[in-house]
Each structure stands twice: as structure tokens, then as C-alpha cells.
Amino acid sequence: MAFAAHIEQSSPTDRGRAYLRPIRRWGAMSAVAALFAILALIFSPAAASADPPLVLPNQITDTSGVLNSGQKNDIQTAIDQLSEDHQIDLWVAFVPDFNEMGGQAWAEQTATKSTLRNNAVLLAVATTERAYYLDVPPGLKNITQSDIDSITGDALEPALADGDWAGAAIATAGALGDANSKSGGMSASTLLIAGGAVIVGTGGVVLYSRKRKSDHNKASLEAAKHIAPDDIAGLNALPLPTLDDRAKAILVETDNAISASQEELELARSEFGDAAVAPFAQAFDKARSTLAGAFGIRQKLDDAIPESPEQRRQMLIDIISSCGRADQELEARVEEFDAMRDLLINAPARLDALTQSVVALSVRLPESEAVLTTLKSQFPAPTLAPVVGNVTMAGERLTLAEQSIEAGRDAVALPAGKQGGAVTAIRTAEAALDQARKLLDGVDHAADDIRNAIATLPAAMEDVQQGITAADSYLAQGGEQLASAKAAAQAALAHAQASKDSDPLGAFNQVVAADAQLDALLAAAQEQKQQLERAQQRLAQDMLAAQAQITAAGDFLNTRRGAIGAEARTRYAEAQRHLQAAQQLQASDPSTALQHAQAATTLATHALRAAQNDVSAWEASQRPRGGGGGNNAAGAILGGILINSVLRGGGGGPRSYGGPSSSGRGGGFGGGGGGGRGSRGGGGGGRF
């Protein structure tokens, strides 16, 4: 009776482990009697009330009744802080037991029933069964399985072992935040919580001191100042309070900048006139409008209508990015604005320098005219078409420059505040002189350019033809862009063949431009094809390695199913899935297939390691310490044979479809019982 009472009060896993003791004592019993005794122990109902997976009504559920109202408030504070700082929703459930399902299956089914989002973590604790499971979704990519192991081992289990239920939940919240921020492991505060340094009771919970929180907020705000306003990902990583403080600060900074810019703009308008300041006025108006939109968002945040944390976060980011755009509008014109102001100060000297440039270029006019006359005698008219009017146009630009310089001198002679016209006159003269210089240079260089085009055009045409031919082999990789570049090169080549005698310079320029574009796209396509070939070479050996590792893991798992847990089975199933994907994609997409093959090898390795750990733990708890390998029944149970045989009817007959089964169930068609949400990510659990 004592032994039976012990089994009745233990967990299903404990009951599964306990049956070996009576087997050893009942050596005289028949195999059939022993087997039915085993099954009676394994499937006997637990004494504690069962809690099947449920729909969680809120983030703190306590059907065990282990929390008082103050402790619930303390846990909720930690949950809210985690959500605010890291956008992670922690759900906590304290129940007497896991309904003989195991922590993982219970937690996953509860999460599914409760439709928890992909940022929601579920901490499930069976207080009577003294087991737990921490279910972490795949959406929390910053939190790895290693982090989960650290959270459960360093923060969660110590508090649970001491019966500190509230402290366990609070420590989990803090450790999740530390893991998500990847600040180098769990902080001292989290470890203190796990070690019992947090006071839980009617007096409340001390998580962080006010000074520590204040220092943390200041550091976060200082770091936020270095995040660019258009860095949405960086802003999203900030805690909500820091984001709010930064939005307020940048509003003030931008408003001050707009006000100062308005004063400078009005002064410049009175000095230079509306035409001169038009570009700056346009930038200012756009910046002011953007700032007004940011103030409108701030007003919505401050009104009586509440927003969700996600809505508030997005609105704060909009404020910061809007202020950033307004600042950029003004900054883009700062140098130009300053140059305009400096130009007026140095106007007399600048006008003198422009006059000297007019004189120098005027001297070149007859020289360039003579060069052009010589060119007309050497080359046909179509060849000279690009430069034949350059000398005449250069003379026109010089006349405009002289007129602008004269207007500038008149403006400088006016009283202060009315000299703004000098800036426009100087800039007009500068532009006219620059164009006149380029026109004359074109005539002077024409002879050399034409002769160079005549000499090199055949080689350029041959080169582009080679590119056109090569492109045919890479159209699959280059796609529409390469096909378009090939067509453009063909058109340029046809034009060059038709006009190489009449317009060699124009033909040369078109061929060179088309060839450059084709070469760039062709190089990218060639690199892509080479990568594909390298991937194909590696794929064959990596798929062999993956198959070998999966086979090794499968051989181990399939002969020790009775002791293998969910982690090893999951990794093994995923390895098989990735290998299958690699096999399906090896012909059409070798690069992606290679990734699947490598993933299959890694997962199979992890599956084998986890399975070996499971078997080692099972053997340590089940086999006798005096040596030997245990009796035949133990080996059969380890291999998943014995229980499966009974379920099939004891004599190898067909097993009925479906129905409940233990973790040691062998092969046979039907469900494994329990199920679970395959879409969830990692997790960790155990007993305390």
C-alpha cells in the first residue's frame, strides 16, 4: 500500500520510472501478471485534481491559489515593464498539475487555445506536481535556446524550488528582458531576484531601485540621441519611455531650428530679394509643414483618447522621423545659404575676377574659330556636327557674362540692404563663363577625339560584339535587365556600323556606353552562375553528410524510443524535413538546397546529442547501480517495444487506431496523444 500511495501521488513520469522496482521484486510472477501490474501503475489516475489545457482569461492565472492580491500586482508590474521595454508579453499560469500531459504539451495547447501572439511567452507551473514549462515563440528571435536554458536554470528554478511563486514569475520577466536586449547575459538584478533577494509579500516587491532606474533611463536617452531619425529599426529597439523622451526632445530641437531659420530667411529676403531666396524659402516651408505634422501627432498622444502600446510606439517614431526630415530639409541648404551671404560680402573682388575671365576667354574665340575651319577641311560635316556651332555659342555666353558683371557692379553700389541683386548677377556671370569655356574646349579637343574614335572604334565594336555573344549564356541568371542591355548593345553596334565613316565620334560614344552597361550586368550574371556551380558541387557532398547523420540519429532514436523526449524527436523530424526540401530543390535551386542540407546535418547532430542525453538520464534513474544492463523488460521498455506490444493486444496483433499512449509507445498507425503547437519556438521545462 505504501508503494501504491507513492505512485498515486507522483507525476506520470515518476510513475513510469517506478515500475522497475516491483518488476525486480516480482521475479516469481508470470510475464503476463507483471505486465498488467506495470500498466496499472502507469495508467493509474493521479490524486490531485486535473487541469486540462485552458483558455487563459488574462496574463496571470492562478487556479492553484498560491498567490495573494499583492503578489499578483507585483507580477503584473513586472509583466507590464517587460512589455513596455521589450514588447514581450509574458503570460503566467499556476495550476495544480499538467493533467498527465507533461509541461510542454500542456503549455503549447494552452497557448494555442488562448491564441497567444507570436511575441507572447507562457510560463506554466504545476505547483502540486512540481513541474514547469517556459514556452517561447519563434517570433522572439533574440532569445535563443541557450538563453532559455539560462533563464530556467539561473532565474526560474531556484525561486520555484523555494516555493517563491511570485518571485519565479518576476525573475522570468527580468531574465527575458535581459536575454532580449543581449546585454551580455542576465543582469545582477535578475540573479538577485532568482536568489531570493526580492521581497515578496504584503510589503510588495523591490525590483530595481529608483536610482538604478533613473541611471538606466538617462543612459537610454543618451544612446537614443545617436540613432538617426530615419533608422526605424534602431528606434523600434528603444524602450517606450525612452522613445517618448526622445520624441519630446527632438520636437523642441527642431522647433528652435525652424524659428532661427525663419529669422535668417527674412533677413536674407530683405537683402537679396524673393528670387534669390526662393529655394531656401521652399525648403523652409516644407520643413515647417513637416514639423506641424509632428506636433499634431504629439497632440493626439497627449489627448484623453488612449492608444495601445504599439500605436503609441509607431506615433512616437513618426514624430522623430518627421523632425528628422524637417531638419534634413534645412541642412541640405545650409552651405548654399551661407555661400550666398559670403558672396555678397566679397562681391567687388569676385566681379573683378569674373572680368579677367571674360578677357581671357575672348582671346580664345578667334583661335577656336581657326581650329574649326581646319577641322572642316579634314572631316565630313556630319562628323563635326557636335562642335560646329560651339564658337558662336561661346561668344553669346561671353556677352551675357559681361552684361551680368555690369549689373552686379551697379547692385554693389546701392545702399546696404538693397544689394541682393549682386548675388544673382554674379551667379549668372559664373554660369555663362563656365559654359563658354566648355564650348571652346570642345572645339580644341575635337580633332584628337575624332582621330581617337576612328582608331579605336573597330576594337570597341568587336568588344561589344563579344559581350553580346557572351550574354546569351547568362540570360537565365541576368534576367530582363541583361536581355535589355544586350538589345541596347545590338542597337548601338548596328548604328556604329552604319555611321562609322560619317560620325565616328558619335558612334564610338554610343558603343562605349552600351558596352559598359552590358559588361556590368554580364559580370553580375557570371558571378551568380559561378556561385550556382559552386553550390552544386558542395550540395552533393553535403546531402550525403546530412543523410548519414540523419541515419545515425534515426538508428539511435528508433531503438531507444522509450527514453527519448520531445526535443530530440523534434530536431530529428526537422532534419528529415530539411533533407527532403534539399532533395526537391537540388535541380532547380542548388543554393537554397545547400542551405537545407546543411541545416539537416546540424539538426540531426543536435537530435542525436539530445537523444543520448535523454538515454543517459533514463539509465541513471532506472538501471541498477550494481552493474549489468538491467533486465529484459527494462530493455524492452527503453526500446519502446513492451508497452506497444501490450497496446496491440499482447501477441503482436494489430493495434487499434488512435487512443492514448505513453511516451514509450512504439510504432503503429495512429496519433501520439497530446499534440502541441508546432508553430511555437523553443522552450524549457523540468521539475523542481
Side-chain angles (χ1 to χ4, degrees):
M1 290 298 294
F3 178 77
H6 168 73
I7 294 300
E8 184 176 2
Q9 294 173 1
S10 63
S11 69
T13 303
D14 290 336
R15 291 197 302 275
R17 292 172 176 172
Y19 56 67
L20 288 182
R21 289 192 291 266
I23 284 177
R24 299 186 190 110
R25 293 204 301 262
W26 299 343
M29 294 180 64
S30 68
V32 174
L35 203 52
F36 279 103
I38 292 171
L39 294 174
L41 292 173
I42 292 177
F43 295 108
S44 61
S49 62
D51 275 86
L54 48 87
V55 177
L56 300 175
N58 49 57
Q59 286 185 269
I60 303 175
T61 299
D62 179 25
T63 62
S64 291
V66 295
L67 301 174
N68 58 39
S69 59
Q71 291 171 329
K72 290 181 180 179
N73 290 336
D74 295 334
I75 295 173
Q76 191 63 55
T77 298
I79 289 174
D80 292 343
Q81 189 68 43
L82 177 66
S83 177
E84 184 175 307
D85 291 348
H86 300 280
Q87 295 74 59
I88 296 176
D89 294 336
L90 176 61
W91 294 68
V92 181
F94 290 100
V95 296
D97 61 52
F98 288 139
N99 198 35
E100 300 187 358
M101 298 177 60
Q104 180 175 357
W106 191 96
E108 290 178 349
Q109 291 189 32
T110 294
T112 300
K113 285 176 175 288
S114 304
T115 62
L116 298 189
R117 297 188 304 173
N118 212 27
N119 70 329
V121 175
L122 173 60
L123 170 60
V125 180
T127 55
T128 302
E129 187 177 331
R130 298 192 68 79
Y132 72 92
Y133 191 79
L134 183 67
D135 186 47
V136 181
L140 300 179
K141 299 185 183 303
N142 284 351
I143 301 179
T144 65
Q145 186 61 48
S146 177
D147 294 328
I148 296 171
D149 295 340
S150 179
I151 292 169
T152 56
D154 298 335
L156 180 56
E157 288 185 4
L160 291 176
D162 292 337
D164 185 1
W165 313 114
I170 295 168
T172 301
L176 285 168
D178 289 340
N180 186 61
S181 63
K182 285 294 186 293
S183 57
M186 287 187 295
S187 65
S189 58
T190 302
L191 293 176
L192 285 174
I193 293 172
V198 178
I199 304 170
V200 181
T202 58
V205 178
V206 180
L207 283 175
Y208 302 100
S209 68
R210 288 190 176 92
K211 181 179 185 305
R212 178 182 177 87
K213 188 172 183 179
S214 175
D215 292 344
H216 174 72
N217 290 342
K218 289 179 181 178
S220 296
L221 183 58
E222 187 63 30
K225 293 179 180 179
H226 300 288
I227 298 177
D230 58 353
D231 184 0
I232 304 303
L235 294 173
N236 252 320
L238 293 174
L240 200 57
T242 303
L243 204 58
D244 187 65
D245 290 341
R246 180 56 187 149
K248 292 176 181 176
I250 199 171
L251 269 175
V252 173
E253 295 167 5
T254 308
D255 189 43
N256 288 338
I258 293 286
S259 298
S261 297
Q262 185 174 20
E263 295 173 1
E264 288 290 328
L265 183 61
E266 293 303 324
L267 180 61
R269 180 178 282 112
S270 65
E271 198 167 8
F272 303 110
D274 290 337
V277 301
F280 310 111
Q282 183 180 6
F284 173 80
D285 290 341
K286 189 172 182 180
R288 182 169 56 182
S289 175
T290 304
L291 178 64
F295 273 123
I297 298 173
R298 183 76 252 181
Q299 177 60 35
K300 291 179 181 178
L301 286 170
D302 294 340
D303 62 20
I305 302 175
E307 292 83 17
S308 68
E310 282 303 316
Q311 290 174 327
R312 188 172 185 84
R313 171 173 293 276
Q314 186 57 53
M315 293 168 75
L316 291 171
I317 291 176
D318 288 344
I319 289 175
I320 296 173
S321 58
S322 296
C323 289
R325 288 195 302 272
D327 185 65
Q328 289 170 0
E329 290 289 340
L330 298 177
E331 285 294 325
R333 295 286 183 173
V334 166
E335 291 186 9
E336 187 179 352
F337 188 84
D338 292 343
M340 181 183 70
R341 301 292 300 272
D342 294 340
L343 190 60
L344 183 58
I345 297 173
N346 302 318
R350 185 62 185 152
L351 289 168
D352 291 341
L354 291 173
T355 301
Q356 294 174 5
S357 296
V358 169
V359 172
L361 289 173
S362 297
V363 172
R364 291 182 57 186
L365 286 175
E367 297 174 352
S368 296
E369 186 67 46
V371 171
L372 187 59
T373 300
T374 302
L375 291 173
K376 290 178 180 178
S377 66
Q378 296 176 345
F379 303 103
T383 302
L384 298 176
V387 298
V388 71
N390 281 24
V391 176
T392 301
M393 295 172 65
E396 294 171 353
R397 300 299 191 276
L398 289 176
T399 300
L400 175 60
E402 289 177 329
Q403 294 172 349
S404 298
I405 291 170
E406 188 63 28
R409 294 190 189 282
D410 292 342
V412 171
L414 295 174
K418 298 182 179 181
Q419 300 172 343
V423 173
T424 302
I426 290 172
R427 287 182 171 169
T428 302
E430 288 176 336
L433 288 171
D434 184 59
Q435 290 186 14
R437 186 178 297 107
K438 290 179 179 178
L439 288 166
L440 296 178
D441 288 344
V443 173
D444 295 342
H445 299 155
D448 292 338
D449 292 341
I450 293 171
R451 291 189 180 94
N452 180 69
I454 293 172
T456 58
L457 180 57
M461 293 172 64
E462 182 180 354
D463 187 51
V464 76
Q465 180 60 63
Q466 291 176 354
I468 292 170
T469 303
D472 291 332
S473 303
Y474 297 96
L475 289 176
Q477 289 76 34
E480 293 184 4
Q481 283 188 321
L482 182 59
S484 177
K486 175 190 172 184
Q490 288 173 323
L493 181 60
H495 172 76
Q497 289 170 339
S499 60
K500 59 184 177 181
D501 296 326
S502 60
D503 185 15
L505 183 58
F508 176 79
N509 290 336
Q510 286 191 27
V511 166
V512 169
D515 190 42
Q517 182 182 18
L518 181 61
D519 283 347
L521 293 173
L522 191 56
Q526 288 171 336
E527 175 61 25
Q528 184 177 353
K529 187 173 183 179
Q530 290 172 359
Q531 290 178 351
L532 188 63
E533 291 172 350
R534 288 194 294 268
Q536 288 173 331
Q537 292 172 358
R538 290 194 55 189
L539 178 59
Q541 62 185 48
D542 279 30
M543 288 185 65
L544 286 175
Q547 183 63 70
Q549 191 64 34
I550 288 175
T551 299
D555 290 345
F556 189 89
L557 268 70
N558 291 331
T559 55
R560 297 162 178 83
R561 286 172 296 171
I564 304 300
E567 180 183 354
R569 295 168 187 259
T570 300
R571 303 296 180 268
Y572 179 66
E574 279 295 286
Q576 291 178 309
R577 182 181 68 81
H578 278 285
L579 180 59
Q580 184 179 11
Q583 292 168 340
Q584 293 172 345
L585 294 172
Q586 60 181 334
S588 60
D589 189 358
S591 296
T592 304
L594 178 62
Q595 296 174 7
H596 280 294
Q598 292 171 341
T601 301
T602 301
L603 287 165
T605 302
H606 290 172
L608 181 58
R609 185 181 303 118
Q612 290 170 338
N613 291 338
D614 288 342
V615 171
S616 296
W618 188 90
E619 290 175 340
S621 62
Q622 299 295 334
R623 294 181 182 270
R625 295 187 178 183
N631 55 33
N632 293 334
I637 293 167
L638 172 62
I641 299 171
L642 184 56
I643 295 176
N644 182 58
S645 176
V646 173
L647 292 176
R648 292 178 181 226
R655 144 177 203 263
S656 61
Y657 174 78
S661 63
S662 72
S663 62
R665 179 175 67 81
F669 187 69
R677 294 199 303 164
S679 63
R680 298 295 287 181
R687 307 185 65 80
F688 55 90

